[in-house]
Amino acid sequence: MPIKISHQFDAGAIDVISAVNPQQIDLHIRKDSHAEFAQWFYFRLQGARGEACNLRFLNAGKTTYPAGWNDYQAVASYDRESWFRVPTSFDGTVMTITHTPERDSVYYAYFEPYSWERHLQLLGDAEASPLARIIDLGTTLDGHDLNAIVIGNPAAAKKIWVIARQHPGETMAEWFVEGLVGAMLDPDNPVALQLLKKAVLYIVPNMNPDGSVRGNLRTNAAGANLNREWMTPSLAVSPEVLAVKTKMHETGCDLFLDVHGDEALPYVFVAGSEMLENFSPAQATAQQRFLDCFVQASPDFQTKVGYASSKYREEVLKLASKYVAHTFKCVSLTLEMPFKDNAINPDARIGWDGDRSAQLGAAILIPVLDAMA
Ligand SMILES: [Zn+2]
């Protein structure tokens, strides 16, 4: 039986150069649909059961984050439920997955995907709780709904905003949201019960539906990097940001989390807002308190490794968390999770994955509650 590679499904993305010989399957990582970014891949291989396959990504060294391939292990799944890491090497130019599929059909991806179907299920499951409402914020360029889950009473004193997947290929961000929402809607969770006495949560599980379904790493259907659009979002280029920013100005914001994944660093970390010119001592104290509490709440979180705070000097207010910190003078963080593994808590078989992201999403409610004190 000849081998076959396909990608015509939700978030599927790969360019096939040659798929004849299982020992030398040659591929290119595809660019985003309307931008030069290239890193996300997700495809299906059929007909290679029992064959020692070498899947070679010939342009890996020319992708957006080549450092992301150092010490990286790709993920695979037979059923798209259970994902595991497969041996992967990178020589600076070509990345190679070496794997012998045990079944006729196997999927390979950059990270455990989070499908549009699962997104819709998340909304439906959330609204089954009397604590949650689903609000429609607008429509994307491809015609997807942009929804938020509102948990708690909108009249509550404090407004918490959580957004995820501005960069659609960072699927761990929506897994994180799934864990956070599940914990918030658990009627036996004492942290959630206390939090609901003080705050309402506005949660956007997927800021970039078009990019997600298209299999983009970083951009929407217009090729826009949404996390550079917060100063001047527009209906034509970044309706997702325009809709969320408009709603946020309507509600106010007392705490903001923008959830991401980092291609290179094998750690969970945050980027704060200390580089802002008007960052106040009160904001600095509150930010540090949040980080200290988060370290206590989750052994997966740490503050030793992260971005230098000078990383975003240029036009910094285009970034969501900086714009929000500047505008609402609140704790406002970009949370990054690894595509690789968590070096302080490694798991060789699975690496960092959806479940661990969800656990982190539940754990962050402890510092979030602390911040409402
Ligand atoms: Zn990101």
Side-chain angles (χ1 to χ4, degrees), residues 317-335:
L317 296 180
K318 290 181 173 181
L319 279 80
S321 69
K322 318 312 173 209
Y323 173 83
V324 172
H326 172 81
T327 305
F328 296 98
K329 311 283 183 242
C330 61
V331 173
S332 180
L333 302 169
T334 305
L335 172 67

Side-chain angles (χ1 to χ4, degrees), residues 19-281:
V20 178
N21 174 5
Q23 277 87 54
Q24 189 181 325
I25 298 169
D26 287 346
L27 308 164
H28 273 179
I29 292 171
R30 199 207 67 188
K31 289 176 182 168
D32 280 12
S33 59
H34 295 80
E36 291 299 305
F37 299 107
Q39 196 92 6
W40 175 261
F41 62 87
Y42 182 18
F43 57 90
R44 181 186 190 195
L45 169 63
Q46 295 184 83
R49 178 196 282 256
E51 301 271 7
C53 294
N54 290 300
L55 300 121
R56 310 195 311 167
F57 299 78
L58 302 181
N59 65 341
K62 295 196 176 90
T63 54
T64 304
Y65 301 102
W69 310 126
N70 294 324
D71 302 317
Y72 165 75
Q73 308 294 308
V75 299
S77 175
Y78 298 114
D79 58 7
R80 298 179 304 134
E81 285 288 329
S82 169
W83 291 84
F84 52 91
R85 300 277 169 169
V86 286
T88 308
S89 61
F90 178 56
D91 65 9
T93 304
V94 176
M95 177 173 74
T96 304
I97 296 174
T98 310
H99 184 229
T100 304
E102 296 172 4
R103 300 191 196 172
D104 297 320
S105 169
V106 57
Y107 293 82
Y108 297 97
Y110 183 29
F111 191 83
E112 182 174 356
Y114 196 104
S115 72
W116 184 245
E117 275 304 311
R118 192 174 183 108
H119 167 80
L120 297 176
Q121 195 66 48
L122 173 65
L123 300 181
D125 289 349
E127 210 180 11
S129 165
L131 297 171
R133 298 286 298 270
I134 305 298
I135 57 172
D136 185 63
L137 297 172
T139 306
T140 68
L141 298 169
D142 283 346
H144 289 112
D145 298 325
L146 189 72
N147 284 116
I149 304 171
V150 183
I151 302 179
N153 184 350
K158 301 284 190 180
K159 324 293 181 190
I160 297 165
W161 275 85
V162 180
I163 68 170
R165 293 185 83 180
Q166 289 201 87
H167 297 145
E170 296 163 9
T171 55
M172 59 288 279
E174 192 159 10
W175 287 107
F176 172 96
V177 163
E178 189 178 300
L180 187 156
V181 169
M184 277 309 301
L185 297 181
D186 177 352
D188 299 322
N189 184 324
V191 179
L193 294 173
Q194 286 300 314
L195 189 51
L196 287 170
K197 290 180 182 170
K198 298 175 175 174
V200 56
L201 287 85
Y202 293 86
I203 301 164
V204 185
N206 189 337
M207 280 288 291
N208 197 334
D210 295 355
S212 301
V213 173
R214 286 169 175 265
N216 289 351
L217 175 77
R218 221 167 151 75
T219 56
N220 71 358
N225 175 352
L226 297 184
N227 204 26
R228 301 294 183 275
E229 290 287 317
W230 283 74
M231 281 301 279
T232 53
S234 69
L235 265 183
V237 171
S238 47
E240 304 90 345
V241 174
L242 181 63
V244 171
K245 180 178 166 180
T246 301
K247 184 70 181 176
M248 195 182 294
H249 276 271
E250 187 187 312
T251 64
C253 184
D254 298 289
L255 175 66
F256 179 69
L257 300 172
D258 180 17
V259 190
H260 288 255
D262 186 84
E263 290 78 5
L265 294 175
Y267 295 95
V268 177
F269 60 98
V270 297
S273 303
E274 59 278 0
M275 75 293 291
L276 295 176
E277 279 180 10
N278 62 352
F279 193 66
S280 69

